[in-house]
Structures are given as structure tokens and as C-alpha cells.
Amino acid sequence: MRKRLLTWFSENARDLPWRRDHSPYRVWISEIMCQQTQVATVLPYFERFLSTYPTIRDLANADENQLMRMWEGLGYYRRARSLHASAKKMAAEHEGEFPDSFEDVLALPGIGRYTAGAILSISRNEAFPILEGNTQRVFSRWIGLTTPPTEKIAQTRLWELSDKMLPRKKAGDRTNGPAGFNQAAMELGALICSPKAPKCDVCPVATMCHANQLGLQAEIPGKISKVQYESRTEIAVVISQAEKYLVRTIPEGVRFAGMIDFPRAGPPEAEDVIGMESWLAEHLGGDVTIGMRLKTIKHAVTRYRMTLHIHLADLAGPNAGDNSDEEHGPLPEPWRWASIDELADMPMSVTGRKIVRLLDRPQRSLFSEI
DNA sequence: AATCCGGGGTA
DNA sequence: TACCCAGGATT
């Protein structure tokens, strides 16, 4: 199994940017970006990220807003915040270098057993096993494990197998060492041993595969429980004055933490337009009157099916006017006014960015499709 | 063990 | 629509 797999990998491996130059820093960034994200999606983000932050210290010194802006569209934004925190930790505790020991790598935020093993094996050819979506599927089929890989007993067996299969050879040939094996197993899962319709006819290890021999490819890995989708309706409002728009930084500990967003709320805080006006009065302090609807956006993300109503609104009362105008008093934290140019550089969710595009191209978007 | 995270690609 | 993606952290 091992030799055939490694031979196949040496002849079929994709030419990925973190394989050509496999420094720990580059492999680390690639692994974080690839968490729950397909390789093809990651590629343009990876190149841009590495040119903006060529070293660990560059990342440690990065502006948080710019960093989040670089991540916009990749999702799971906590990954970017964990990257930043990790880089700062390396600058402070590891002289700006990627840590040496498995324990120190595992102690970094956003890095679990899989990612620590992947980084150290791929970058330094160290013999740590890995287990993720691809290898769960490859190994489960190989040994005919019908237990869903989410169950603890399956996890234990699969990690044991990943460790048992791993070549210990470190010196010399990376392709035949731990780096090669771990990547080969993942690559097989990505290119051949796919979730649906695996290409067993061209699989290098098909003759040794339990699932292939028994025709159980469709039953292995065992099915995990279905996703419970949830419909959700939210309201966002556009409040403008002097060609600036009212936005805020999302506080820590909630979705979109650290990103910029328009006033937005949904059930149970704001069930409808009236509820949204109450929400605005409470959070903003001024009298807000919600006006016409600009557009309704449907957005499917993770398990949510969101309908977002975007309304124009007017702000009156003590907080109207520029936030530097002391006669009117400043806007309460974390609210602020931002121009279109400023919004362009701020990190936003996908739906937040769609609102900006509505405002940026009013002649085409604002009054159509309403 | 389940849920959250709030993006995207594919059949 | 359903399912998956080089998962980790939290509860």
C-alpha cells in the first residue's frame, strides 16, 4: 500500500505553491487556509497573503483591519484572528521563528492535532501522523470501516492507522518520508478516492482496498447526520450623511467579530421593521426612522438560509451629524461614519460587501430588482 | 458528543 | 438542495 501510494504521488502530485517552497511559515498559512476550504479556493488568497506578509514578523505587525480584509470571502474568520495571535506569540516567545516542538506548535491558537502534524511533517519531514477529511475517507475505505468517522472509536482507529502507516524515514527523500506519505494520502482522497464515484479503476491501491473488494465505496465512510438548515430573516439599514455611511466594528465573541458591518439585526432582537427601530434606538441612541427597502438579498452560508432586507433610514436626535461635531455629541462606540472609499478597505462579511456595492453603483443596482 | 463558525464549490 | 471541504474551539 505504502510503496504504491508513494509512487503514484510522485507521478501525480499537483504543483501547489506550498510544495515548491515548503518553509514552516508557508505551510502553516496554507494549512490554516485549507481548513474546511477547498484547495482551489485557497490558491489566490495564499499568493496574495504571502506577498503582503512575507515573514512571521510581518504578520505579527499586520494591521488587524487589513488582515481581516485579506481574509474576506474565505469564511471562518476566526482563523485569521488566530493566525495574527499566533504570529505575535512567535515574535514574543520564539524569536520570530516557527516553533520547533510539536507541543509548542499545538499550543498555538487555531492549531489542533491535525494541523500541527501536517505542518511539521510537510515542512520539516518529521514523523507525525495526520487525520482530516481526505484521510478519514481513504483509510476508512481501505480497512472497510463502516463506523461514521465522527464517532470516537472510529477516530481512535483511524489515528492509530495513520500513525502505523507513516514512514519514519526523515533524512533525504521527502517524497518517500512522512512529508510524502501524509500528502500522498490526502492527495489520493482529493483526486481519486472522492466522496462520490471514486475512481477505483485508476487507484494505485485498489487491489488492497477493503471497500473496493466488497463494493462498499458508497457506504464508507459511514454517513453522518444530516444538516439542519435554518431559515433566518434579518434587516440591515443604510443611514447616510454627507456621503458617509453609519457602520460599526462587531465586538468580540460574536459572529463577524472584528469586522465592519452596517446596522443589522434579526430575531429575537428585531422581528420586523418596528423591532429594528427599537434596536437602533437602544444601540445608537438616536431616533431612527426606517424608510424604503433598497433590496432583499438571499444568502446561503453554512447551515443558514438568510433573507436580508436592506432599508434606507434617517437618523435624527442627539447623534445626528458628524461624530466630530461636539455640539451634537459623538456617536457612541463602536459606531462611526465611513465613506465609500473607506468602506472599500474595511473587512466585511459577504452580505456587508453586497450592501457596499449597492451604494457604490446606485445607477445600476439601487433602483433595480426591487 | 454536539454545536458553532456566518464561505464556496459541485453534482 | 445536499454534501463536502488539508478543522478547531467551545460547551
Side-chain angles (χ1 to χ4, degrees):
Chain A
M1 149 92 176
R2 205 153 66 191
K3 188 166 294 184
R4 291 191 193 184
L5 177 60
L6 291 170
T7 300
W8 171 84
F9 181 62
S10 68
E11 294 167 355
N12 295 277
R14 288 171 290 180
D15 181 23
L16 301 176
W18 49 89
R19 284 181 178 159
R20 186 166 294 188
D21 173 354
H22 52 84
S23 73
Y25 176 58
R26 290 170 62 88
V27 174
W28 170 42
I29 301 302
S30 79
E31 286 301 332
I32 300 299
M33 285 188 171
C34 283
Q35 288 173 0
Q36 296 298 289
T37 309
Q38 294 182 0
V39 168
T41 306
V42 164
L43 291 176
Y45 284 87
F46 181 82
E47 301 290 3
R48 198 178 49 167
F49 194 99
L50 264 294
S51 5
T52 307
Y53 310 117
T55 70
I56 292 174
R57 288 200 189 277
D58 292 327
L59 178 57
N61 296 329
D63 172 74
E64 174 122 1
N65 273 336
Q66 186 193 30
L67 175 58
M68 297 300 285
R69 183 72 179 84
M70 301 276 302
W71 207 266
E72 193 179 295
L74 266 184
Y76 300 102
Y77 298 99
R78 187 173 59 184
R79 294 183 293 174
R81 299 161 68 78
S82 296
L83 274 183
H84 202 189
S86 293
K88 287 177 178 174
K89 187 171 184 179
M90 290 179 215
E93 301 176 14
H94 299 283
E95 301 176 343
E97 300 292 324
F98 199 84
D100 289 319
S101 74
F102 184 88
E103 288 69 27
D104 284 348
V105 175
L106 195 60
L108 297 169
I111 295 187
R113 185 179 179 185
Y114 161 75
T115 305
I119 295 170
L120 290 177
S121 63
I122 295 171
S123 67
R124 296 184 178 140
N125 211 13
E126 294 182 25
F128 292 102
I130 59 161
L131 189 67
E132 38 64 72
N134 286 308
T135 43
Q136 279 179 8
R137 187 172 59 253
V138 169
F139 293 152
S140 292
R141 283 176 175 161
W142 190 53
I143 65 174
L145 180 67
T146 55
T147 312
T150 49
E151 294 193 16
K152 187 174 181 179
I153 180 63
Q155 283 290 307
T156 301
R157 288 195 59 188
L158 291 169
W159 272 108
E160 283 173 357
L161 181 61
S162 179
D163 183 59
K164 183 180 164 191
M165 293 297 302
L166 189 63
R168 304 293 148 176
K169 183 167 67 174
K170 290 172 65 176
D173 191 350
R174 287 174 45 80
T175 307
N176 288 303
F181 179 80
N182 282 345
Q183 293 186 88
M186 288 192 283
E187 198 83 334
L188 188 75
L191 301 182
I192 303 292
C193 196
S194 42
K196 291 178 181 174
K199 304 172 181 65
C200 301
D201 52 331
V202 294
C203 177
V205 296
T207 57
M208 299 176 252
C209 174
H210 211 291
N212 179 59
Q213 289 171 355
L214 298 178
L216 291 176
Q217 296 95 324
E219 281 68 46
I220 300 176
K223 299 308 169 193
I224 55 180
S225 56
K226 277 189 178 180
V227 177
Q228 289 294 320
Y229 292 102
E230 180 180 330
S231 295
R232 185 172 170 82
T233 300
E234 296 182 355
I235 302 174
V237 299
V238 174
I239 301 174
S240 67
Q241 280 179 14
E243 299 189 12
K244 292 198 171 192
Y245 300 91
L246 189 61
V247 294
R248 67 165 175 168
T249 301
I250 303 294
E252 304 291 321
V254 296
R255 71 170 182 180
F256 304 135
M259 305 183 82
I260 307 293
D261 198 19
F262 293 88
R264 178 205 298 241
E269 294 176 285
E271 299 280 354
D272 50 22
V273 168
I274 301 299
M276 186 60 188
E277 286 184 341
S278 303
W279 185 91
L280 288 162
E282 181 182 340
H283 287 79
L284 205 47
D287 276 335
V288 178
T289 306
I290 296 181
M292 68 170 283
R293 190 182 64 185
L294 288 178
K295 187 165 185 170
T296 293
I297 291 175
K298 288 192 179 297
H299 179 63
V301 58
T302 61
R303 70 181 193 88
Y304 296 96
R305 298 294 176 265
M306 182 159 63
T307 301
L308 179 64
H309 299 300
I310 304 161
H311 286 254
L312 287 176
D314 287 316
L315 172 65
N319 293 318
D322 191 279
N323 51 355
S324 64
D325 185 345
E326 294 192 7
E327 188 174 337
H328 294 114
L331 286 167
E333 289 290 332
W335 298 97
R336 58 165 293 187
W337 298 102
S339 68
I340 287 290
D341 287 344
E342 291 171 324
L343 290 171
D345 291 329
M346 293 176 171
M348 310 188 88
S349 66
V350 165
T351 49
R353 188 59 62 195
K354 285 181 178 175
I355 296 174
V356 173
R357 283 199 285 269
L358 276 181
L359 306 174
D360 197 18
R361 292 191 275 277
Q363 66 282 7
R364 186 161 70 239
S365 308
L366 201 54
F367 299 108
S368 63
E369 305 175 51
I370 297 179

Coordinates of all heavy atoms in Angstrom, one line a residue, chain A residues 205-283:
Chain A
V205 N -4.0 1.7 -5.1 CA -4.1 0.7 -4.0 C -5.4 0.0 -4.0 O -5.8 -0.6 -3.0 CB -3.8 1.4 -2.7 CG1 -2.4 1.9 -2.6 CG2 -4.8 2.5 -2.4
A206 N -6.1 0.0 -5.2 CA -7.5 -0.6 -5.2 C -7.5 -2.1 -4.9 O -8.4 -2.6 -4.2 CB -8.1 -0.4 -6.6
T207 N -6.4 -2.8 -5.3 CA -6.4 -4.2 -5.1 C -6.3 -4.6 -3.6 O -6.6 -5.7 -3.2 CB -5.2 -4.9 -5.8 OG1 -4.0 -4.3 -5.4 CG2 -5.4 -4.7 -7.3
M208 N -5.8 -3.6 -2.8 CA -5.7 -3.9 -1.4 C -6.8 -3.2 -0.6 O -6.7 -3.2 0.7 CB -4.3 -3.3 -0.9 CG -3.1 -4.0 -1.5 SD -1.6 -3.3 -1.0 CE -1.1 -2.4 -2.5
C209 N -7.8 -2.6 -1.3 CA -8.8 -1.8 -0.6 C -10.0 -2.6 -0.2 O -10.6 -3.2 -1.1 CB -9.2 -0.6 -1.5 SG -10.5 0.4 -0.8
H210 N -10.3 -2.7 1.0 CA -11.4 -3.5 1.5 C -12.7 -3.0 0.9 O -13.5 -3.8 0.5 CB -11.5 -3.3 3.1 CG -12.0 -4.5 3.8 ND1 -13.3 -4.9 3.7 CD2 -11.4 -5.4 4.6 CE1 -13.5 -6.0 4.4 NE2 -12.3 -6.4 4.9
A211 N -13.0 -1.7 0.9 CA -14.2 -1.2 0.3 C -14.4 -1.6 -1.1 O -15.4 -1.9 -1.6 CB -14.3 0.3 0.5
N212 N -13.3 -1.5 -1.9 CA -13.3 -1.8 -3.3 C -13.6 -3.3 -3.5 O -14.4 -3.6 -4.4 CB -12.0 -1.4 -3.9 CG -11.9 -1.8 -5.4 OD1 -12.7 -1.2 -6.2 ND2 -11.0 -2.6 -5.8
Q213 N -13.0 -4.1 -2.7 CA -13.2 -5.6 -2.9 C -14.6 -6.0 -2.6 O -15.2 -6.9 -3.2 CB -12.2 -6.3 -2.0 CG -10.8 -6.2 -2.5 CD -9.8 -6.8 -1.5 OE1 -10.1 -7.2 -0.4 NE2 -8.5 -6.8 -1.9
L214 N -15.3 -5.3 -1.6 CA -16.6 -5.6 -1.2 C -17.7 -4.7 -1.9 O -18.9 -4.9 -1.7 CB -16.8 -5.5 0.3 CG -15.8 -6.4 1.1 CD1 -16.0 -6.2 2.6 CD2 -16.1 -7.9 0.7
G215 N -17.2 -3.8 -2.7 CA -18.2 -2.9 -3.3 C -18.9 -2.0 -2.4 O -20.1 -1.6 -2.6
L216 N -18.2 -1.5 -1.3 CA -18.8 -0.7 -0.3 C -18.4 0.7 -0.4 O -18.5 1.5 0.6 CB -18.5 -1.3 1.1 CG -19.1 -2.6 1.5 CD1 -18.5 -3.1 2.8 CD2 -20.6 -2.6 1.5
Q217 N -17.9 1.2 -1.5 CA -17.4 2.6 -1.6 C -18.5 3.6 -1.3 O -18.2 4.6 -0.7 CB -16.9 2.9 -3.0 CG -15.7 2.0 -3.4 CD -16.1 0.8 -4.2 OE1 -17.2 0.2 -3.9 NE2 -15.3 0.4 -5.2
A218 N -19.8 3.2 -1.6 CA -20.8 4.2 -1.3 C -21.2 4.2 0.1 O -21.8 5.2 0.6 CB -22.0 3.9 -2.2
E219 N -20.9 3.1 0.8 CA -21.4 3.0 2.2 C -20.2 3.5 3.2 O -20.5 3.6 4.4 CB -21.8 1.6 2.6 CG -23.1 1.2 2.1 CD -23.3 1.1 0.6 OE1 -22.4 0.5 0.0 OE2 -24.2 1.7 0.1
I220 N -19.0 3.6 2.7 CA -17.9 4.0 3.5 C -17.3 5.3 2.9 O -17.0 5.4 1.7 CB -16.8 2.9 3.5 CG1 -17.4 1.6 4.1 CG2 -15.6 3.3 4.3 CD1 -16.5 0.4 4.1
P221 N -17.0 6.3 3.8 CA -17.3 6.3 5.2 C -18.8 6.4 5.6 O -19.6 6.8 4.8 CB -16.5 7.6 5.7 CG -16.5 8.5 4.5 CD -16.4 7.6 3.3
G222 N -19.1 5.9 6.8 CA -20.5 5.9 7.3 C -21.0 7.3 7.2 O -20.3 8.3 7.4
K223 N -22.3 7.4 7.0 CA -23.0 8.7 6.8 C -23.1 9.4 8.2 O -23.4 8.8 9.2 CB -24.4 8.5 6.2 CG -24.3 7.9 4.8 CD -23.3 8.6 3.9 CE -23.1 7.8 2.6 NZ -22.0 8.3 1.9
I224 N -22.8 10.7 8.1 CA -23.0 11.5 9.3 C -24.4 12.1 9.2 O -25.0 12.2 8.1 CB -22.0 12.6 9.4 CG1 -21.9 13.4 8.1 CG2 -20.6 11.9 9.7 CD1 -20.8 14.5 8.2
S225 N -24.9 12.6 10.4 CA -26.3 13.1 10.4 C -26.5 14.3 9.5 O -25.5 15.1 9.3 CB -26.6 13.5 11.9 OG -25.7 14.4 12.3
K226 N -27.7 14.4 9.0 CA -28.0 15.5 8.1 C -27.9 16.9 8.7 O -28.1 17.0 9.9 CB -29.4 15.3 7.5 CG -29.5 14.3 6.3 CD -30.8 14.4 5.7 CE -30.9 13.4 4.5 NZ -32.3 13.5 3.9
V227 N -27.6 17.8 7.9 CA -27.5 19.2 8.4 C -28.9 19.7 8.6 O -29.8 19.5 7.7 CB -26.8 20.1 7.4 CG1 -26.8 21.6 7.8 CG2 -25.3 19.6 7.2
Q228 N -29.2 20.4 9.7 CA -30.5 21.0 9.9 C -30.4 22.5 9.5 O -29.8 23.3 10.2 CB -30.8 20.9 11.4 CG -31.2 19.5 11.9 CD -32.5 19.0 11.3 OE1 -33.4 19.8 11.1 NE2 -32.5 17.7 10.9
Y229 N -31.0 22.7 8.3 CA -30.9 24.1 7.8 C -31.9 25.0 8.6 O -32.9 24.5 9.0 CB -31.2 24.1 6.3 CG -30.1 23.4 5.5 CD1 -30.3 22.2 5.0 CD2 -28.9 24.1 5.3 CE1 -29.3 21.5 4.3 CE2 -27.9 23.5 4.5 CZ -28.1 22.2 4.1 OH -27.1 21.6 3.3
E230 N -31.5 26.2 8.7 CA -32.3 27.2 9.4 C -32.5 28.4 8.6 O -31.6 29.1 8.2 CB -31.7 27.5 10.8 CG -32.5 28.5 11.6 CD -31.8 28.8 12.9 OE1 -31.0 28.0 13.5 OE2 -31.9 30.0 13.4
S231 N -33.8 28.7 8.4 CA -34.1 30.0 7.7 C -34.1 31.2 8.7 O -34.5 31.0 9.8 CB -35.5 29.9 7.0 OG -35.5 28.9 6.0
R232 N -33.6 32.3 8.2 CA -33.4 33.4 9.1 C -33.6 34.7 8.3 O -33.1 34.8 7.2 CB -32.0 33.4 9.7 CG -31.8 34.5 10.8 CD -30.5 34.2 11.5 NE -30.2 35.4 12.4 CZ -30.8 35.6 13.6 NH1 -31.6 34.7 14.1 NH2 -30.4 36.7 14.2
T233 N -34.4 35.6 8.8 CA -34.6 36.9 8.2 C -34.0 38.0 9.0 O -34.3 38.1 10.2 CB -36.1 37.1 7.9 OG1 -36.6 36.1 7.1 CG2 -36.4 38.5 7.2
E234 N -33.2 38.8 8.4 CA -32.6 39.9 9.1 C -32.8 41.2 8.4 O -33.2 41.2 7.2 CB -31.1 39.7 9.3 CG -30.8 38.5 10.2 CD -29.3 38.3 10.4 OE1 -28.5 39.0 9.8 OE2 -28.9 37.4 11.2
I235 N -32.7 42.4 9.1 CA -32.8 43.7 8.5 C -31.5 44.4 8.7 O -30.9 44.5 9.8 CB -34.0 44.5 9.2 CG1 -35.3 43.7 9.0 CG2 -34.1 45.8 8.5 CD1 -36.4 44.3 9.8
A236 N -31.0 45.0 7.6 CA -29.9 45.9 7.7 C -30.4 47.3 7.2 O -31.2 47.4 6.3 CB -28.7 45.4 6.8
V237 N -29.8 48.4 7.8 CA -30.2 49.7 7.3 C -29.0 50.5 6.9 O -27.9 50.4 7.4 CB -31.0 50.5 8.5 CG1 -32.2 49.7 8.8 CG2 -30.1 50.7 9.7
V238 N -29.3 51.4 5.9 CA -28.3 52.3 5.4 C -28.6 53.7 5.8 O -29.7 54.2 5.4 CB -28.2 52.2 3.8 CG1 -27.3 53.3 3.3 CG2 -27.8 50.8 3.4
I239 N -27.8 54.2 6.7 CA -28.0 55.6 7.2 C -26.8 56.4 6.7 O -25.7 56.1 6.9 CB -28.0 55.6 8.7 CG1 -29.1 54.8 9.2 CG2 -28.2 57.1 9.2 CD1 -29.1 54.6 10.8
S240 N -27.2 57.5 5.9 CA -26.1 58.3 5.3 C -26.2 59.7 5.6 O -27.3 60.3 5.7 CB -26.1 58.0 3.7 OG -27.2 58.6 3.2
Q241 N -25.0 60.4 5.7 CA -25.0 61.8 5.9 C -23.7 62.3 5.3 O -22.6 61.7 5.6 CB -25.0 62.2 7.4 CG -26.4 62.1 8.0 CD -26.5 62.5 9.4 OE1 -25.6 63.0 10.0 NE2 -27.6 62.2 10.0
A242 N -23.8 63.3 4.5 CA -22.6 63.9 3.9 C -21.7 62.9 3.2 O -20.5 62.8 3.3 CB -21.7 64.7 4.9
E243 N -22.4 62.0 2.4 CA -21.8 60.9 1.7 C -21.0 60.0 2.5 O -20.0 59.4 2.1 CB -20.9 61.5 0.5 CG -21.8 62.3 -0.5 CD -21.0 62.8 -1.7 OE1 -19.9 62.3 -1.9 OE2 -21.5 63.6 -2.4
K244 N -21.4 59.9 3.8 CA -20.8 58.9 4.6 C -21.9 58.0 5.2 O -23.0 58.4 5.2 CB -20.0 59.5 5.8 CG -18.7 60.2 5.3 CD -17.7 60.4 6.4 CE -16.4 61.0 5.9 NZ -15.4 60.9 6.9
Y245 N -21.5 56.8 5.6 CA -22.4 55.8 6.0 C -22.1 55.3 7.4 O -21.0 55.1 7.8 CB -22.4 54.6 5.0 CG -22.8 55.0 3.6 CD1 -21.8 55.4 2.7 CD2 -24.1 55.1 3.2 CE1 -22.0 55.8 1.4 CE2 -24.4 55.6 1.9 CZ -23.4 55.9 1.0 OH -23.7 56.4 -0.2
L246 N -23.2 55.0 8.1 CA -23.1 54.6 9.5 C -22.7 53.1 9.6 O -23.5 52.2 9.1 CB -24.4 54.8 10.3 CG -24.3 54.7 11.8 CD1 -23.3 55.6 12.4 CD2 -25.7 54.9 12.4
V247 N -21.6 52.8 10.2 CA -21.2 51.4 10.4 C -20.6 51.2 11.8 O -20.4 52.2 12.5 CB -20.1 51.0 9.3 CG1 -20.7 51.0 7.9 CG2 -18.9 51.9 9.4
R248 N -20.3 50.0 12.1 CA -19.7 49.7 13.4 C -18.7 48.5 13.3 O -18.8 47.7 12.3 CB -20.7 49.4 14.5 CG -21.4 48.1 14.2 CD -22.2 47.6 15.4 NE -22.9 46.4 15.1 CZ -23.5 45.6 16.0 NH1 -23.4 45.9 17.3 NH2 -24.2 44.5 15.6
T249 N -17.8 48.4 14.2 CA -17.0 47.2 14.4 C -17.7 46.2 15.2 O -18.1 46.5 16.3 CB -15.6 47.6 15.0 OG1 -15.0 48.6 14.2 CG2 -14.7 46.3 15.1
I250 N -17.8 45.0 14.7 CA -18.5 44.0 15.5 C -17.7 43.6 16.7 O -16.5 43.3 16.6 CB -18.8 42.7 14.6 CG1 -19.5 43.1 13.4 CG2 -19.5 41.6 15.4 CD1 -20.9 43.5 13.6
P251 N -18.3 43.6 17.9 CA -17.5 43.3 19.1 C -17.0 41.8 19.2 O -17.4 41.0 18.4 CB -18.5 43.6 20.2 CG -19.8 43.4 19.6 CD -19.7 43.8 18.2
E252 N -16.1 41.6 20.1 CA -15.5 40.3 20.3 C -16.6 39.3 20.7 O -17.6 39.6 21.3 CB -14.4 40.3 21.4 CG -13.3 41.3 21.2 CD -12.5 40.9 20.0 OE1 -12.2 39.7 19.9 OE2 -12.1 41.8 19.2
G253 N -16.3 38.0 20.4 CA -17.2 36.9 20.9 C -18.4 36.6 20.2 O -19.2 35.7 20.5
V254 N -18.7 37.4 19.1 CA -19.9 37.1 18.3 C -19.5 36.9 16.8 O -18.4 37.1 16.5 CB -21.0 38.2 18.4 CG1 -21.5 38.3 19.9 CG2 -20.4 39.5 18.0
R255 N -20.5 36.5 16.0 CA -20.2 36.3 14.6 C -19.6 37.6 14.0 O -20.1 38.6 14.4 CB -21.4 35.8 13.9 CG -22.4 36.9 13.7 CD -23.5 36.5 12.8 NE -24.4 37.6 12.7 CZ -25.5 37.7 11.9 NH1 -25.9 36.6 11.3 NH2 -26.3 38.7 11.9
F256 N -18.7 37.4 13.0 CA -18.1 38.6 12.4 C -17.3 39.4 13.3 O -17.1 40.6 13.0 CB -19.2 39.4 11.6 CG -20.0 38.7 10.7 CD1 -21.4 38.9 10.6 CD2 -19.5 37.8 9.8 CE1 -22.2 38.2 9.7 CE2 -20.3 37.2 8.9 CZ -21.6 37.4 8.8
A257 N -16.8 38.9 14.4 CA -16.0 39.7 15.4 C -14.9 40.3 14.7 O -14.2 39.7 13.9 CB -15.5 38.8 16.5
G258 N -14.7 41.6 14.9 CA -13.6 42.4 14.3 C -13.9 42.9 12.9 O -13.0 43.6 12.4
M259 N -15.0 42.6 12.4 CA -15.3 43.1 11.0 C -16.2 44.3 11.1 O -16.8 44.6 12.1 CB -16.0 41.9 10.2 CG -15.1 40.7 10.2 SD -15.7 39.4 9.1 CE -15.2 39.9 7.5
I260 N -16.4 45.0 10.0 CA -17.2 46.1 9.9 C -18.6 45.8 9.4 O -18.6 45.0 8.4 CB -16.5 47.2 9.0 CG1 -15.1 47.5 9.5 CG2 -17.4 48.5 9.0 CD1 -15.0 48.1 10.8
D261 N -19.6 46.3 9.9 CA -21.0 46.0 9.4 C -21.9 47.2 9.5 O -21.7 48.1 10.4 CB -21.6 44.8 10.2 CG -22.7 44.2 9.5 OD1 -22.8 44.4 8.2 OD2 -23.5 43.4 10.1
F262 N -22.9 47.2 8.6 CA -23.9 48.2 8.8 C -24.8 47.8 9.9 O -24.8 46.6 10.4 CB -24.8 48.2 7.5 CG -24.0 48.7 6.3 CD1 -23.3 47.8 5.5 CD2 -24.1 50.0 5.9 CE1 -22.5 48.3 4.4 CE2 -23.4 50.5 4.8 CZ -22.6 49.7 4.1
P263 N -25.6 48.7 10.4 CA -26.6 48.3 11.5 C -27.4 47.1 11.0 O -28.0 47.2 9.9 CB -27.5 49.6 11.7 CG -26.6 50.7 11.1 CD -25.8 50.1 10.0
R264 N -27.4 46.1 11.7 CA -28.1 44.9 11.3 C -28.6 44.1 12.5 O -27.9 44.0 13.5 CB -27.1 44.0 10.5 CG -27.6 42.7 10.0 CD -26.5 41.7 9.8 NE -25.5 42.1 8.8 CZ -25.2 41.5 7.7 NH1 -25.8 40.3 7.5 NH2 -24.3 41.9 6.9
A265 N -29.8 43.6 12.4 CA -30.3 42.7 13.5 C -31.4 41.8 12.9 O -31.9 42.0 11.8 CB -30.9 43.6 14.6
G266 N -31.7 40.8 13.7 CA -32.7 39.8 13.4 C -33.3 39.3 14.6 O -33.0 39.7 15.7
P267 N -34.3 38.3 14.5 CA -34.9 37.7 15.6 C -33.8 37.1 16.5 O -32.9 36.6 16.1 CB -35.8 36.6 15.0 CG -35.9 37.0 13.6 CD -34.7 37.7 13.2
P268 N -34.0 37.2 17.9 CA -35.2 37.7 18.5 C -35.2 39.2 18.9 O -36.2 39.7 19.3 CB -35.2 36.9 19.8 CG -33.8 36.7 20.1 CD -33.1 36.5 18.8
E269 N -34.0 39.8 18.6 CA -33.9 41.2 18.9 C -34.8 42.1 18.0 O -35.4 43.1 18.5 CB -32.5 41.7 18.9 CG -31.6 41.0 19.9 CD -30.1 41.4 19.7 OE1 -29.5 40.9 18.8 OE2 -29.7 42.2 20.5
A270 N -34.8 41.8 16.8 CA -35.6 42.7 15.8 C -36.4 41.7 14.9 O -35.9 41.2 14.0 CB -34.6 43.5 15.0
E271 N -37.7 41.6 15.2 CA -38.5 40.7 14.5 C -39.0 41.3 13.2 O -39.3 40.6 12.2 CB -39.8 40.3 15.3 CG -39.4 39.6 16.6 CD -39.2 38.1 16.4 OE1 -39.3 37.6 15.2 OE2 -38.8 37.4 17.4
D272 N -39.1 42.7 13.1 CA -39.6 43.4 12.0 C -39.0 44.8 12.0 O -38.1 45.1 12.7 CB -41.1 43.4 12.0 CG -41.6 43.9 13.3 OD1 -40.9 44.6 14.0 OD2 -42.8 43.6 13.7
V273 N -39.5 45.6 11.1 CA -39.0 47.0 10.9 C -39.2 47.8 12.2 O -38.3 48.5 12.7 CB -39.8 47.7 9.8 CG1 -39.5 49.2 9.8 CG2 -39.3 47.1 8.4
I274 N -40.3 47.6 12.9 CA -40.6 48.3 14.2 C -39.6 47.8 15.2 O -39.0 48.6 15.9 CB -42.0 48.0 14.7 CG1 -43.0 48.5 13.6 CG2 -42.2 48.7 16.0 CD1 -43.0 50.0 13.3
G275 N -39.4 46.5 15.3 CA -38.4 46.0 16.2 C -37.0 46.5 15.9 O -36.2 46.8 16.8
M276 N -36.7 46.7 14.6 CA -35.4 47.2 14.2 C -35.2 48.6 14.7 O -34.1 49.0 15.1 CB -35.2 47.0 12.7 CG -33.9 47.4 12.2 SD -32.6 46.3 12.9 CE -31.1 47.1 12.3
E277 N -36.3 49.4 14.6 CA -36.2 50.8 15.0 C -35.9 50.8 16.5 O -35.1 51.6 17.0 CB -37.5 51.5 14.7 CG -37.6 51.9 13.2 CD -38.8 52.7 12.9 OE1 -39.8 52.7 13.7 OE2 -38.8 53.3 11.8
S278 N -36.5 49.9 17.3 CA -36.2 49.8 18.7 C -34.8 49.4 19.0 O -34.1 50.0 19.8 CB -37.2 48.8 19.4 OG -38.5 49.2 19.2
W279 N -34.3 48.5 18.2 CA -32.9 48.0 18.3 C -32.0 49.2 18.1 O -31.0 49.4 18.8 CB -32.7 46.9 17.3 CG -31.3 46.2 17.5 CD1 -31.0 45.1 18.2 CD2 -30.1 46.6 16.8 NE1 -29.7 44.8 18.1 CE2 -29.1 45.7 17.2 CE3 -29.8 47.6 15.9 CZ2 -27.8 45.8 16.7 CZ3 -28.5 47.7 15.4 CH2 -27.5 46.8 15.8
L280 N -32.3 49.9 17.0 CA -31.4 51.1 16.7 C -31.4 52.1 17.8 O -30.4 52.7 18.1 CB -31.9 51.7 15.3 CG -31.5 50.8 14.1 CD1 -32.4 51.2 12.9 CD2 -30.1 50.9 13.8
A281 N -32.6 52.4 18.3 CA -32.7 53.4 19.4 C -31.9 53.0 20.6 O -31.2 53.8 21.2 CB -34.2 53.6 19.8
E282 N -31.9 51.7 20.9 CA -31.2 51.2 22.0 C -29.7 51.2 21.8 O -28.9 51.6 22.7 CB -31.7 49.8 22.3 CG -31.0 49.1 23.5 CD -31.5 47.7 23.8 OE1 -32.5 47.3 23.2 OE2 -30.7 47.0 24.4
H283 N -29.3 50.8 20.6 CA -27.8 50.7 20.4 C -27.2 52.0 19.9 O -26.0 52.2 20.0 CB -27.6 49.6 19.3 CG -27.8 48.2 19.9 ND1 -29.0 47.6 20.0 CD2 -26.9 47.3 20.3 CE1 -28.9 46.4 20.5 NE2 -27.6 46.2 20.8

